[in-house]
Amino acid sequence: MKILHIDSAITGEASVSRKLTADIVAKLTAANPQATVTHRDLNDGVPAIDSNWFSAVRMTPENPTPDQQRLIDMSDAYLSEVQAADVLVIGLPVYNFNLPAQLKNWLDQIARAGKSFRYTEAGPEGLLTNKRAIIAYSAAGTPIGSDFDHASGYLRFMLGFLGITDVEFVAADRLAMDREAGLARAQAALDDLAA
């Protein structure tokens, strides 16, 4: 088993989603001692895509400049980590009712036509199949699945668009209202999680 461990919280040691992703990875590796883990901390910075990225990565120039090659290599590195993984463990802290910008940037980096999805006569087809995703959702005041939770549905949709349809959530939500209850719900979901 190859595990890709993704964190995106900006709150460091105080992060609930970081603790949850670590606990999920620990559970998976305890049950699968031969598992390997690649950790990617998106808080270290994931560049937003822009016109330079589009010219380099999407337009695939025959002779890229050094700057273009750097952008290509970076996007390829993000994507290759996902392609190699059997399980993705993704920290999803909710900021302003949505996912962190660095997590959105990472999704933009890996959503590449012809590599992670393709268009067919029947519509789009995800190419990152046979993978499991476990999402560690944390929110101070946004209940998961509520009308103002624009994070979990979007992330589930994007993963599905890329072919990852086995998606589970371990949610610590409404932490500002009742922190202990939110953490207890997350722990119960973690306990129920198949390793």
Side-chain angles (χ1 to χ4, degrees):
M1 174 187 291
K2 294 181 180 176
I3 300 168
L4 177 58
H5 176 181
I6 300 282
D7 280 318
S8 60
I10 62 173
T11 50
E13 294 298 316
S15 168
V16 172
S17 68
R18 285 178 184 275
K19 181 178 183 330
L20 288 176
T21 59
D23 290 348
I24 293 165
V25 169
K27 181 171 184 171
L28 294 173
T29 54
N32 303 278
Q34 302 304 314
T36 61
V37 180
T38 299
H39 183 242
R40 173 72 75 167
D41 190 344
L42 304 183
N43 194 44
D44 292 339
V46 180
I49 60 174
D50 59 13
S51 56
N52 292 328
W53 183 92
F54 182 81
S55 295
V57 178
R58 287 282 174 90
M59 301 307 289
T60 58
E62 190 171 320
N63 296 301
T65 67
D67 284 343
Q68 288 176 324
Q69 190 62 57
R70 181 183 55 78
L71 294 171
I72 293 166
D73 292 345
M74 181 179 49
S75 187
D76 284 349
Y78 292 128
L79 181 56
S80 65
E81 288 175 347
V82 179
Q83 290 169 324
D86 301 303
V87 180
L88 285 74
V89 177
I90 302 174
L92 175 58
V94 176
Y95 301 147
N96 300 316
F97 312 105
N98 213 328
L99 63 166
Q102 55 271 26
L103 185 53
K104 172 67 165 67
N105 291 349
W106 177 78
L107 289 166
D108 288 342
Q109 290 281 351
I110 67 170
R112 293 175 53 190
K115 293 187 179 281
S116 57
F117 71 93
R118 66 181 173 194
Y119 292 109
T120 71
E121 290 181 4
E125 176 186 1
L127 301 177
L128 302 177
T129 57
N130 301 314
K131 299 179 188 305
R132 175 187 185 196
I134 306 168
I135 313 302
Y137 176 102
S138 66
T142 306
I144 189 168
S146 67
D147 288 344
F148 48 98
D149 165 20
H150 301 288
S152 65
Y154 175 77
L155 184 54
R156 182 188 294 275
F157 171 81
M158 278 302 299
L159 292 172
F161 177 79
L162 300 176
I164 304 169
T165 56
D166 181 0
V167 180
E168 305 162 82
F169 285 84
V170 172
D173 60 354
R174 294 169 279 172
L175 294 171
M177 290 78 163
D178 189 340
R179 185 176 179 83
E180 293 309 312
L183 294 175
R185 285 191 296 275
Q187 186 60 54
L190 179 59
D191 291 344
D192 289 344
L193 198 66

